[in-house]
Amino acid sequence: MRFFVPCAKGLEYLLVDELQALGASRATAAVAGANADGEDELPYRVALWSRLASRALWPLAEFPCPDEQALYDGAARIDWSQHLGEEGTLAVDATVSGPGITHARFAALRVKDAIVDQCRQQTGQRPSVDTEDPDLRLNLSVRKGRATLSVDLAGPLHRRGWRQAQGEAPLKENLAAAVLLRGGWPAVAAEGGALMDPMCGSGTLLIEGALMAATWRRGLQRHGLARRRAGRASTARCGSACARTPGPAPMPAGLRCNRAISGATTMRRVIAAAQRNAESAGVAHAIDLQVTDLVHLSPPGPAQGLVVCNPPYDQRLAADPALYRQLGEALRHAVPDWSASILAGERELGFATGLRASKTYAMFNGALECALLVCPRVGGRDRADAPARPLGEGAQMVANRLRKNLRKLKAWRAREGVDCFRAYDADLPEYSAAVDVYTEAVEPRRVFLHVQEYAAPADIPEEDTRRRLGELVRACAEVFDVPRERIATKTRSRGKGGSKYGRFDQRGEFITVREGQALLRVNLFDYLDTGLFLDHRPLRARLAAESAGKHVLNLFAYTGAASVQAAVGGAASTTSVDLSATYLQWAGENLALNDCTGPSHRLVQADALRFVESDRGHYDLVFCDPPTFSNSARATTSMSSATMCAC
């Protein structure tokens, strides 16, 4: 007999393997599910044992469905007295696609009408609707002009029955099972390995992992429901099938799961929720839960194990890449020899961990597409040992252009001693981004890349822009031979209120670079701009050359790069004026890095125009580099273009 077993998108091939293990003679992946051939017992086995399926469906009828009248007539041809008692309750769930019927709730209502009308004609009574716990739950699927009406034997299968509390964004249990299976947890558990979730939330991954390791099958709390629905639903066709489907023994009260399973989070109330859920599932004794942060992460004991994690994420760029980088660093320090299965909001967030994934899978958490990264070893391998992964056609084009640009810039860089420069600026229209290179001034003189993606036109699909950015980053990584964690990626676009500027990460990682004779601190990850505008280098060089013995005023000083160049050029004094305390502190650190401190090098927090109106100082050189945009409510004006004037 042919069955369709639905699941979340991205789990189809795992579900095929599971169905074959449950006795399907044949199973093939479909969109958001699998088609399976098997005996009558197969839907009940799915209801009782499946960790991945969304529903267990017993098909009652399939018929042409070009419009709502055909749907009503098809449902009315079924003898509902064989499936629903006089006092029975029902519910109908529907999914529709195609031009004939476009509204799922309307389709469900028409099926319900057909059943109610038939029952009223036969018995004079109208069955009631119960959406929570009906005696008969039906599932309607309308695709390509055909309708399939099935009995839903157990309702949503991701509801295992143990969840007592949940966090702000709980992970469905069947998706958690997929994360564990992709990570190879059954094999790791069989070999005595450990399981750890350093950001465990309400404990879904840990609880599912503990039950999986204890070989407990999820159908325990669904077994009676499936039997009840089967008996009422189709005694003529499949009542005996339920009787032949063996039921599991009750879960032992003292379930023993001799595995080192641990979880952590920073909030006590979340740990308390995870503890309640673990107790409800009967595995609280098998899971060690702690309130701690990533900095203090430590392995639970065994030398081998699997890290599973579902870090926070939201829509594109709303998540915090710094948190992902911190996660990767903590795992490399605590469990370098373990494997990992990380469900991230998107590929770029996953890559921010710096972990080297051997496989990346697309999965859907509800309507949100996610990326599952499977890493065979958290610590990775030496680059020399890692097999080279060939670039795709688009990435290869970018790589070729980058190499061409580097050859053209080589002589100039050597002549001028330039370590920080722009290597690419939307040279290929499809790959619209700027790539800046920053080389540390001190050993080991690591190379960092700053990739700024220009916002794509609205008519370009986001999937294309995301793919192109990924290809560009891969090309950069190969050409410059740098790991992903040393590539900062950002998108320049106007946000709410017109803002272009703001803080992105909280990584707090500064590197020191050299420009001429000056040392400067830059931050590639935490802000839209890095603290050093590379295109202003010629003007700063002129300032250094003309500042000897002079008093220099730097308005809109930003991080003080111009003040530093004036100071190392021999300026008698510098005065740096900016409204931002953060940037002034940064400017002070840059001056101190070059031994330019003391009363000769003033830092003034003030609006530049008000300072000019009130200040009575005398200056030989005034450097003015106003921002083109400012969010500050304290700023009275904004000006564009950089100017230097002799006074």
Side-chain angles (χ1 to χ4, degrees):
M1 190 170 180
R2 171 62 60 89
F3 303 97
F4 177 75
V5 183
C7 68
K9 290 177 66 176
L11 310 191
E12 294 93 344
Y13 291 99
L14 282 173
L15 179 60
V16 165
D17 294 339
E18 184 181 62
L19 290 173
Q20 291 173 341
L22 290 174
S25 58
R26 182 173 178 270
T28 57
V31 176
N35 295 309
D37 296 329
E39 299 177 352
D40 290 350
E41 291 90 342
L42 184 60
Y44 300 96
R45 291 175 183 164
V46 171
L48 300 175
W49 316 133
S50 177
R51 298 184 184 278
L52 301 167
S54 300
R55 306 265 178 176
L57 304 179
W58 177 270
L60 292 178
E62 182 179 349
F63 49 87
C65 185
D67 52 41
E68 60 94 8
Q69 187 60 47
L71 175 60
Y72 180 93
D73 294 341
R77 283 193 293 269
I78 300 172
D79 183 2
W80 293 107
S81 65
Q82 298 295 316
H83 309 290
L84 190 63
E86 293 184 5
E87 302 295 330
T89 58
L90 79 149
V92 184
D93 301 314
T95 58
V96 299
S97 63
I101 299 177
T102 59
H103 197 289
R105 292 186 64 182
F106 174 74
L109 181 62
R110 292 303 287 156
V111 171
K112 188 265 295 181
D113 289 344
I115 298 172
V116 168
D117 291 347
Q118 184 188 105
C119 292
R120 184 184 290 124
Q121 290 174 1
Q122 292 177 349
T123 67
Q125 293 187 346
R126 169 194 173 100
S128 301
V129 173
D130 182 352
T131 59
E132 294 298 321
D133 185 24
D135 296 308
L136 176 64
R137 182 181 291 275
L138 296 174
N139 180 276
L140 170 69
S141 173
V142 180
R143 291 184 180 181
K144 298 181 179 179
R146 294 195 65 82
T148 302
L149 198 53
S150 307
V151 176
D152 185 344
L153 292 174
L157 295 182
H158 74 272
R159 296 178 183 172
R160 309 300 205 223
W162 50 257
R163 192 180 294 278
Q164 302 296 311
Q166 63 185 37
E168 295 180 359
L171 186 67
K172 288 185 177 180
E173 291 88 321
N174 52 356
L175 194 58
V179 173
L180 290 157
L181 290 170
R182 286 297 190 196
W185 169 237
V188 173
E191 296 172 0
L195 181 69
M196 178 173 65
D197 184 351
M199 307 171 78
C200 68
S202 57
T204 305
L205 284 162
L206 298 176
I207 294 170
E208 193 71 20
L211 296 172
M212 195 178 289
T215 66
W216 178 74
R217 293 178 174 178
R218 63 147 310 277
L220 286 166
Q221 290 152 324
R222 294 287 184 189
H223 187 258
L225 179 59
R227 279 181 171 272
R228 172 166 68 85
R229 287 207 180 135
R232 292 179 178 178
S234 185
T235 55
R237 294 179 56 194
C238 62
S240 60
C242 185
R244 293 196 304 270
T245 303
M251 180 189 293
L255 172 66
R256 288 292 175 263
C257 178
N258 296 319
R259 316 293 176 194
I261 299 178
S262 65
T265 187
T266 58
M267 294 179 285
R268 292 190 178 276
R269 62 176 180 82
V270 177
I271 282 289
Q275 186 67 33
R276 291 197 301 274
N277 288 335
E279 291 170 355
S280 176
V283 295
H285 60 281
I287 301 176
D288 179 28
L289 297 170
Q290 297 182 0
V291 178
T292 187
D293 56 25
L294 292 172
V295 175
H296 301 102
L297 187 65
S298 60
Q304 298 295 325
L306 171 69
V307 175
V308 289
C309 193
N310 178 218
Y313 50 81
D314 202 334
Q315 297 298 328
R316 187 168 184 247
L317 295 184
D320 186 359
L323 180 62
Y324 281 73
R325 283 190 284 271
Q326 186 181 12
L327 172 64
E329 292 167 1
L331 294 180
R332 285 190 293 272
H333 174 74
V335 287
D337 296 323
W338 285 28
S339 55
S341 185
I342 310 294
L343 185 64
E346 60 178 21
R347 282 174 175 261
E348 288 303 310
L349 285 173
F351 293 157
T353 63
L355 304 181
R356 295 178 181 173
S358 61
K359 295 284 183 66
T360 304
Y361 301 93
M363 291 185 175
F364 282 79
N365 190 0
L368 184 63
E369 183 177 359
C370 305
L372 177 67
L373 280 68
V374 178
C375 311
R377 185 173 181 272
V378 166
R381 294 178 291 182
D382 293 334
R383 294 182 63 85
D385 297 333
R389 179 185 172 193
L391 296 177
E393 181 179 355
Q396 189 62 59
M397 286 195 306
V398 177
N400 292 341
R401 180 55 63 98
L402 282 168
R403 292 188 178 102
K404 178 180 179 180
N405 291 350
L406 290 177
R407 287 194 297 269
K408 290 173 59 178
L409 296 172
K410 183 176 181 180
W412 166 75
R413 288 172 51 210
R415 182 177 66 252
E416 301 293 334
V418 173
D419 287 338
C420 305
F421 60 97
R422 178 153 294 181
Y424 176 94
D425 196 357
D427 297 31
L428 303 175
E430 299 90 344
Y431 298 89
S432 183
V435 179
D436 295 329
V437 181
Y438 291 82
T439 305
E440 284 185 309
V442 296
E443 295 298 332
R445 287 184 59 79
R446 297 175 300 172
V447 172
F448 288 76
L449 301 180
H450 186 251
V451 179
Q452 299 175 83
E453 179 191 29
Y454 299 122
D459 60 341
I460 303 297
E462 184 177 343
E463 180 181 351
D464 289 347
T465 62
R466 189 180 304 181
R467 172 182 54 79
R468 290 171 181 172
L469 178 61
E471 290 174 343
L472 184 141
V473 170
R474 282 203 61 217
C476 291
E478 177 167 304
V479 170
F480 292 95
D481 193 29
V482 298
R484 181 63 183 83
E485 58 266 26
R486 294 213 301 268
I487 303 177
T489 57
K490 301 168 188 174
T491 297
R492 279 188 174 271
S493 61
R494 289 192 180 274
K496 294 181 179 180
S499 170
K500 293 194 304 180
Y501 299 95
R503 187 159 185 157
F504 288 96
D505 289 358
Q506 296 179 358
R507 184 166 175 172
E509 180 179 347
F510 288 79
I511 64 172
T512 299
V513 299
R514 182 177 296 279
E515 184 181 81
Q517 299 302 311
L519 296 175
L520 299 166
R521 285 161 53 84
V522 297
N523 185 320
L524 307 186
F525 297 95
D526 292 2
Y527 301 87
L528 180 63
D529 294 311
T530 67
L532 182 64
F533 295 118
L534 298 184
D535 55 335
H536 293 176
R537 181 194 301 107
L539 194 55
R540 289 192 295 269
R542 180 183 168 190
L543 186 63
E546 298 184 15
S547 293
K550 296 181 179 179
H551 300 279
V552 178
L553 173 62
N554 183 6
L555 297 174
F556 305 99
Y558 189 39
T559 60
S563 299
V564 171
Q565 289 290 5
V568 298
S573 71
T574 64
T575 300
S576 305
V577 181
D578 201 281
L579 197 57
S580 168
T582 299
Y583 289 146
L584 280 180
Q585 180 181 350
W586 197 335
E589 293 168 350
N590 278 333
L591 287 165
L593 188 62
N594 293 271
D595 296 324
C596 301
T597 58
S600 296
H601 301 285
R602 286 198 302 156
L603 300 170
V604 181
Q605 184 180 5
D607 175 79
L609 289 188
R610 291 180 179 176
F611 175 84
V612 170
E613 291 171 353
S614 61
D615 185 63
R616 295 296 178 263
H618 296 273
Y619 305 98
D620 304 298
L621 286 176
V622 177
F623 181 83
C624 184
D625 181 17
T628 57
F629 183 89
S630 176
N631 268 339
S632 175
R634 298 170 60 191
T636 58
T637 187
S638 63
M639 297 177 289
S640 60
S641 77
T643 58
M644 183 177 72
C645 33
C647 304

